Amino acid sequence: MNKKASNCAICENSNRASICAACVNYRLSECNTLLKSLKSRRDALYMRLSEVLVAKGKADDQLNWRVLQNEKLTNLREKLRRSKEQLSQGKLKIEKSSYDLKVRYAILDSARSMMEKNRAEQLEKFYPNIICTQSLGHMAIVSELLHKQSVVIKQICKLFPQRRVNIDGERRDGSSGQYDQICGARLPKGLDPHSVPSEELAASLGYMVQLLNLVVLNLAVPVLHNSGFAGSCSRIWQRDSYWDARPSSRSNEYPLFIPRQNYCSTSGENSWTDRSSSNFGVASMESERRPQLDSSRSASFNYTSASTHSVETHKDLQKGISLLKKSVACLTAYCYNSLCLDVPAEASTFEAFAKLLATLSLSKEVRSVFSLKMACSRYICQP
């Protein structure tokens, strides 16, 4: 180590550590200066080192990112390769399945064409005979049914004989002209309930109600209105709905008779009983019989001088006769159309109904109509 110069001779000659304050301060300043230079150098080196470390860190990060991206690219390439392999395998499976389906479709088409051919052959050979046999059996059953039906209708016509009578002159009750008659009781003309005596009116309408119910039951035909047979106290009504045969209310139920106790007259004392009565004014079957209503007097009902009850019940009776005639007319038209016959043009409602029953009671005529209907299908049975 070189010995540094000093202004102090004592410290310099003695060759010892500085003793005086000046030498000590001088040396301290030199050391301070040296330390500062070393510190500045250290700081510079530290900055360089930091820059080198930062650069190296960035380089390492870039290297790691590149390595990571390379790994990802490698995985993606491997995944792409596997996907291509799966795609090629899937295409092969689809092609194989398509080929199998084409083969199966071809087999099904050939089988279907063969089945159609066999079906056509079967239809040509066997089924015409079966259809013919079934048709013949059906015709035999229907023919037997029509025969039995005609027998039943003939018996019904014997129980309820109908005819058209012509009264020459004038009877004691004032009746004259042509009348429809059932079981010896005359039916009213038109909608006039006073065209025949009250007891004969109630009996004839009751017979007609029972006859209509029996015909509907045996012929299995629809009926326009419902009616309840109660002898000379029968009634008719419009059913509430298709499922409910009862009337919607008592106001829609109309009588087909004139009560024995009270008659339609111009006086309030002889008015009908209350509409809510369940027996339509008949207290009992043994009720006292009143004298018959004079037809000549009641044929033209006077609405102006009649009581409220008389007018109302007279209209109800006319409404009941109208409903009964509508039911008979609709049933007659339905059966005539079923038989492919024309309804008699100039005949009255009850007269046309009587002619219909006479036609239905003749099994030969009904069978001839049925034979005409089945004629269109007979060619199937021909060889």
Side-chain angles (χ1 to χ4, degrees):
M1 184 177 177
N2 296 328
K3 188 178 179 180
K4 294 183 179 181
S6 178
N7 294 329
C8 181
I10 297 173
C11 295
E12 185 179 0
N13 292 329
S14 62
N15 199 17
R16 294 181 181 178
S18 297
I19 298 174
C20 61
C23 292
V24 172
N25 290 331
Y26 177 77
R27 288 183 178 275
L28 288 174
S29 62
E30 286 183 351
C31 288
N32 188 20
T33 303
L34 180 61
L35 287 174
K36 286 182 179 179
S37 63
L38 292 175
K39 182 181 178 182
S40 60
R41 185 179 178 186
R42 185 197 64 184
D43 293 338
L45 293 174
Y46 182 76
M47 289 179 64
R48 289 178 59 190
L49 180 61
S50 298
E51 292 176 355
V52 171
L53 290 175
V54 169
K56 188 175 182 302
K58 291 181 179 180
D60 292 341
D61 290 340
Q62 290 181 356
L63 181 61
N64 292 332
W65 182 82
R66 288 179 180 177
V67 171
L68 182 62
Q69 295 301 320
N70 289 331
E71 290 179 357
K72 289 183 178 180
L73 289 174
T74 303
N75 293 332
L76 290 174
R77 290 191 184 96
E78 183 65 22
K79 188 176 180 180
L80 178 62
R81 185 185 63 79
R82 290 196 300 268
S83 299
K84 288 181 177 180
E85 290 180 357
Q86 292 177 359
L87 179 63
S88 61
Q89 292 176 0
K91 287 182 177 179
L92 291 175
K93 289 182 180 179
I94 290 173
E95 291 177 356
K96 185 178 180 181
S97 300
S98 300
Y99 178 76
D100 294 340
L101 286 175
K102 288 181 180 179
V103 173
R104 291 181 180 180
Y105 279 134
I107 296 173
L108 288 175
D109 290 337
S110 62
R112 183 168 59 85
S113 61
M114 187 173 293
M115 288 179 63
E116 289 179 354
K117 183 178 179 180
N118 293 335
R119 179 175 176 273
E121 292 178 356
Q122 295 290 333
L123 288 175
E124 291 177 358
K125 291 181 180 179
F126 302 103
Y127 282 96
N129 296 330
I130 297 176
I131 293 173
C132 181
T133 304
Q134 296 293 334
S135 299
L136 291 176
H138 175 68
M139 292 175 62
I141 293 172
V142 173
S143 178
E144 183 67 21
L145 176 63
L146 292 176
H147 173 68
K148 292 182 179 180
Q149 190 180 83
S150 64
V151 172
V152 173
I153 296 297
K154 185 180 293 186
Q155 294 176 353
I156 292 176
C157 291
K158 289 181 180 180
L159 290 175
F160 298 93
Q162 298 181 76
R163 65 191 184 94
R164 185 80 169 173
V165 296
N166 189 5
I167 300 176
D168 297 330
E170 186 174 353
R171 291 187 178 180
R172 287 181 300 174
D173 56 4
S175 59
S176 62
Q178 292 183 348
Y179 284 88
D180 293 306
Q181 196 177 62
I182 178 171
C183 297
R186 288 172 296 170
L187 291 161
K189 284 185 176 182
L191 300 180
D192 186 9
H194 302 288
S195 58
V196 295
S198 59
E199 293 184 356
E200 194 171 359
L201 172 74
S204 61
L205 294 180
Y207 288 140
M208 184 56 64
V209 166
Q210 182 66 358
L211 174 61
L212 181 64
N213 291 336
L214 290 175
V215 170
V216 168
L217 180 63
N218 286 278
L219 294 183
V221 293
V223 63
L224 189 60
H225 303 96
N226 286 68
S227 56
F229 174 70
S232 296
C233 300
S234 302
R235 59 199 182 277
I236 191 168
W237 64 87
Q238 177 68 50
R239 64 191 300 155
D240 186 27
S241 64
Y242 179 81
W243 298 270
D244 191 1
R246 297 174 299 178
S248 58
S249 64
R250 291 304 298 270
S251 61
N252 294 329
E253 192 173 5
Y254 302 99
L256 294 174
F257 64 97
I258 299 177
R260 292 179 180 179
Q261 290 182 347
N262 299 308
Y263 295 95
C264 293
S265 64
T266 59
S267 62
E269 294 81 3
N270 293 331
S271 62
W272 285 12
T273 55
D274 189 9
R275 290 178 59 85
S276 62
S277 176
S278 60
N279 56 6
F280 290 96
V282 180
S284 66
M285 295 304 294
E286 294 81 11
S287 60
E288 181 183 357
R289 297 184 62 177
R290 298 293 183 89
Q292 293 184 357
L293 194 64
D294 188 6
S295 300
S296 61
R297 180 188 60 187
S298 59
S300 58
F301 188 78
N302 191 357
Y303 287 93
T304 58
S305 60
S307 64
T308 305
H309 277 273
S310 297
V311 173
E312 184 180 358
T313 50
H314 183 270
K315 290 182 179 179
D316 289 344
L317 182 55
Q318 285 185 329
K319 183 67 174 178
I321 297 174
S322 175
L323 294 182
L324 179 62
K325 282 198 168 185
K326 284 183 180 179
S327 296
V328 173
C330 290
L331 176 62
T332 304
Y334 179 83
C335 292
Y336 269 113
N337 290 331
S338 300
L339 296 174
C340 300
L341 299 176
D342 295 329
V343 182
E346 298 180 356
S348 63
T349 303
F350 297 119
E351 185 181 2
F353 185 58
K355 290 182 178 180
L356 171 67
L357 295 182
T359 303
L360 292 175
S361 63
L362 301 176
S363 60
K364 291 183 178 180
E365 294 187 8
V366 179
R367 288 181 180 180
S368 63
V369 173
F370 177 71
S371 299
L372 291 176
K373 287 184 178 181
M374 299 298 294
C376 61
S377 60
R378 288 182 178 178
Y379 73 95
I380 301 178
C381 302
Q382 296 177 359

